[in-house]
Amino acid sequence: MNTLRLAFSAADPGLRRLGAAVRATTSFLMVVVALFAVCGATGVEWSLAIPGMLAAAVGSTTIGMGTRERRRFVPLLVLAASGSIGLVLGILVADDPVLSAVVFFALSVAVLASTLLGTAGTIVALGGVAGFVAAAIARPGWADLPWALGGVIVGAGLPVLMLTVLLRYRPRSHTRRMIGSLRTLVEQMPLAVAEGEQAARRHLDALEAAISVTRARIAADPDGWPEALRRGDGAALAERGARFELAVTAALTGGGTADLDALVADPLLAAPERSVTPGRTSTLDQPYAPPRLDWRRAGRSLLSISAQLLTAIALSLVVAQFVDPRHWYWAVLAAVVMVFGTTSAAASLSKGYRRVLGAVGGLAVGLGLSLLVHDNLVLVAVVALVAMFVQQYAAELAYGVSVFALSVLVTVLYGQTTADLLETLPAHLLLTGAGAIVGTAVGFAVLPARLGETMRRQADEAMAEVQATLAGMAAGGRSDEVTLAGRDALARFEVLRSEAKSSRRGWPLSRHERILAEQIGAGAVVARELRAAVHDYRARVIDRPGYSSAVASVSAKVAAVRAELTGGPSRHRDEPPVVSPTTPEHGLVRLELAIDGLAVALRAG
């Protein structure tokens, strides 16, 4: 049980993904309950609730878009208007497949153009797409328009109440959960030491990984963190982690547990608001300035993703005209999930098969569930809620699973609008397969994204400067030379931050945005600790016992990270700590832990 707890804590520190998935699912649940209650009370065909459910799905998905509640409030309100416009347009052109394709393509252009306005504009534009697709699925008539519009208003309005008032994201609550997770790991450390060296090392690795992730979170989003932890992006946590290594080693080698007990009783995690931590040089602990936005890079990123999405949508719409014009959205959905969020041409192929399996598997499971639940609204709601939760939770972990859940949701909703699912199954399969092929081909051949390659190259250049700085320290170079090398490494990191911010402009809906933010946060911690090590450096420390080995250990970690960035073999941390580190070596230990955290963050992406 303890091992399982450690694994779960490492997989989702602070329960951020779980919390976001629960909030999105709860918001969606409230909409489903309200719509089904109205349908049951009035006798209205329940398929008219589909527009409202799709609008609610768009609203709930905004949790993963990195937008603050105060900036999300107005777009969610306007979502009702854009969804209603999309619904009316869908009814207008419902009987003309060609005109439907043209209008949907125009809406797609509007969505991509809205990314220039940021996430808020994209949310509003997506409402129009959701309304249009809902009209294609549910096929409401003009007599049903008031009910369908009412559903859209409910589907857009309730998430405003739920996500910005009742279930709004509270940074302090998330902070308390992360601090509580760290505190639990710290309090269980004596028990792990009592179980032996293997258990102690496993527990210590879990603590150090949690500290690294926490520091990356602080660097990426410092809101809600106590000053004692926010200073230096959690430098005090890194100091405690280094001291825990020494204390655990001493306890395992018969040196007593006094130091370990003192660390467990340290008030930093029990009462961080009242904890007093000595600060380093004020310059080292200052927060970073906001990254510069390079509009040329942002324009190139937007051009790439726009060309790919529009080409994929256009080709899938054309293919659908020859297969089954009425159900064009199956081909479009398959094409979009294949091309969306890929960071390189190679990624469109390497990850494409998992997305195809997710789409086809979701179709099969959704078909079976549709036949099983039939017209039972309670079972339909349960299936929709489970699919929504899985889609939200798995979006960062496995995009193929997210596509699977999305396919199940749409298939189950569609199954309630037709009398014979098996009759449309061949066309459904053919449209899904054709859309998947179109999406894969477009992702590989049409202005393929180079974000992954660019970010890896920039990160490798930054780590190369870190390695050069360490080489100067190991060789006993002059302080001014080492300081200059450290400044070059910081300059490379600033370029990386600017590149990341500019590139994210082109794909604001991708869940990879949060992963990238934490990777950049982990890089910020590395840059900060490198500055601290350079600041403490003096050429004469090269003669002190253990210093050279400490530098060599950190250099090996940097080489391992660079190998991961360039596709080489990964390397895990298993070296024992330095026995009696001097003050500069404390900085090197923190830098080593920061590099370990960066390696973990890179593997998450």
Side-chain angles (χ1 to χ4, degrees):
M1 181 62 69
N2 188 48
T3 302
L4 181 62
R5 186 185 301 112
L6 291 178
F8 187 76
S9 176
D12 189 14
L15 303 181
R16 187 203 62 188
R17 280 195 304 271
L18 180 62
V22 168
R23 289 165 59 220
T25 306
T26 303
S27 172
F28 188 69
L29 170 63
M30 294 298 101
V31 173
V32 171
V33 169
L35 292 176
F36 281 6
V38 171
C39 290
T42 60
V44 175
E45 178 64 35
W46 90 264
S47 62
L48 295 177
I50 290 179
M53 294 173 68
L54 290 183
V58 172
S60 299
T61 303
T62 62
I63 286 179
M65 294 183 184
T67 303
R68 300 291 184 193
E69 274 70 9
R70 62 180 179 272
R71 297 180 181 176
R72 194 191 305 164
F73 185 82
V74 173
L76 283 177
L77 285 178
V78 182
L79 178 66
S82 62
S84 299
I85 293 173
L87 180 66
V88 173
L89 287 175
I91 296 176
L92 278 172
V93 301
D95 297 329
D96 190 333
V98 176
L99 189 56
S100 295
V102 171
V103 172
F104 181 80
F105 184 81
L107 287 174
S108 303
V109 173
V111 171
L112 292 171
S114 68
T115 59
L116 293 174
L117 303 176
T119 305
T122 308
I123 294 172
V124 174
L126 271 179
V129 173
F132 190 85
V133 173
I137 294 176
R139 295 280 170 169
W142 289 110
D144 303 319
L145 182 61
W147 295 105
L149 288 178
V152 171
I153 294 173
V154 171
L158 274 182
V160 174
L161 174 65
M162 300 299 296
L163 298 179
T164 62
V165 180
L166 300 180
L167 296 176
R168 69 182 183 273
Y169 173 71
R170 294 176 173 85
R172 292 188 181 277
S173 298
H174 176 68
T175 297
R176 285 196 296 269
R177 286 198 299 270
M178 292 204 71
I179 293 176
S181 178
L182 286 172
R183 187 168 58 246
T184 300
L185 288 171
V186 167
E187 292 172 349
Q188 292 177 348
M189 187 66 74
L191 299 177
V193 171
E195 294 177 6
E197 183 175 358
Q198 184 177 3
R201 173 55 58 182
R202 184 171 61 247
H203 202 89
L204 187 60
D205 287 344
L207 175 61
E208 292 176 350
I211 289 175
S212 297
V213 172
T214 301
R215 297 196 70 189
R217 294 270 178 93
I218 295 173
D221 185 9
D223 288 351
W225 291 91
E227 177 61 27
L229 298 180
R230 190 168 61 244
R231 183 186 300 125
D233 295 334
L237 290 176
E239 183 69 26
R240 298 306 190 278
R243 290 169 58 191
F244 260 109
E245 285 215 19
L246 299 178
V248 169
T249 300
L252 293 173
T253 55
T257 61
D259 291 342
L260 180 61
D261 293 339
L263 285 172
V264 172
D266 192 292
L268 179 64
L269 296 177
E273 295 83 2
R274 296 190 298 272
S275 176
V276 178
T277 58
R280 299 177 298 191
T281 304
S282 58
T283 304
L284 300 178
D285 288 338
Q286 289 299 313
Y288 287 105
R292 180 178 59 87
L293 179 61
D294 184 346
W295 283 102
R296 288 189 301 174
R297 160 55 60 184
R300 289 195 298 269
S301 177
L302 181 60
L303 176 63
S304 174
I305 191 62
S306 299
Q308 288 187 343
L309 285 176
L310 291 180
T311 303
I313 290 172
L315 291 178
S316 59
L317 286 171
V318 171
V319 170
Q321 300 304 310
F322 294 97
V323 179
D324 186 357
R326 178 173 178 177
H327 299 111
W328 52 267
Y329 45 85
W330 291 118
V332 171
L333 177 63
V336 168
V337 299
M338 289 298 296
V339 77
F340 185 75
T342 55
T343 57
S344 66
S348 65
L349 297 179
S350 61
K351 298 180 180 180
Y353 78 94
R354 283 176 285 184
R355 300 183 180 192
V356 172
L357 291 178
V360 175
L363 170 59
V365 173
L367 176 64
L369 290 174
S370 295
L371 296 175
L372 179 65
V373 302
H374 195 48
D375 293 329
N376 191 317
L377 297 187
V378 175
L379 293 180
V380 171
V382 170
V383 171
L385 291 173
V386 172
M388 172 63 73
F389 176 83
V390 173
Q391 193 277 329
Q392 291 284 326
Y393 187 78
E396 290 182 19
L397 300 175
Y399 196 79
V401 177
S402 179
V403 170
F404 170 82
L406 180 63
S407 298
V408 170
L409 175 62
V410 176
T411 303
V412 169
L413 292 180
Y414 168 74
Q416 308 310 307
T417 66
T418 181
D420 192 356
L421 271 175
L422 298 179
E423 181 181 349
T424 59
L425 180 60
H428 193 165
L429 287 172
L430 186 57
L431 287 172
T432 300
I437 294 173
V438 167
T440 303
V442 168
F444 181 79
V446 178
L447 289 180
R450 302 190 182 277
L451 173 64
E453 300 170 6
T454 301
M455 296 300 293
R456 281 193 297 271
R457 185 183 69 253
Q458 296 282 8
D460 183 61
E461 290 176 356
M463 296 307 291
E465 293 294 343
V466 173
Q467 209 165 14
T469 305
L470 292 172
M473 296 169 69
R478 297 202 316 266
S479 297
D480 56 345
E481 294 176 348
V482 172
T483 300
L484 182 60
R487 289 175 180 173
D488 290 340
L490 181 61
R492 291 287 186 183
F493 169 69
E494 291 296 339
V495 171
L496 178 62
R497 293 177 70 217
S498 176
E499 191 81 22
K501 179 177 181 179
S502 304
S503 298
R504 282 159 50 188
R505 191 77 179 183
W507 36 283
L509 304 184
S510 175
R511 288 304 181 90
H512 193 78
E513 184 269 344
R514 290 199 302 205
I515 297 177
L516 180 60
E518 292 198 7
Q519 290 174 341
I520 298 301
V525 174
V526 171
R528 187 180 294 281
E529 293 303 336
L530 179 67
R531 291 170 62 200
V534 169
H535 180 270
D536 290 339
Y537 174 78
R538 298 293 183 273
R540 61 180 180 273
V541 301
I542 193 65
D543 298 325
R544 296 184 181 180
Y547 186 74
S548 296
S549 62
V551 175
S553 176
V554 178
S555 297
K557 293 295 179 63
V558 175
V561 170
R562 294 189 66 191
E564 287 194 29
L565 288 170
T566 56
S570 60
R571 180 172 177 270
H572 297 284
R573 183 174 188 277
D574 56 2
E575 299 84 357
V578 181
V579 178
S580 300
T582 60
T583 300
E585 289 166 350
H586 268 302
L588 288 174
V589 170
R590 291 198 299 268
L591 177 57
E592 186 179 16
L593 295 176
I595 292 171
D596 285 338
L598 176 60
V600 172
L602 290 174
R603 295 186 196 114

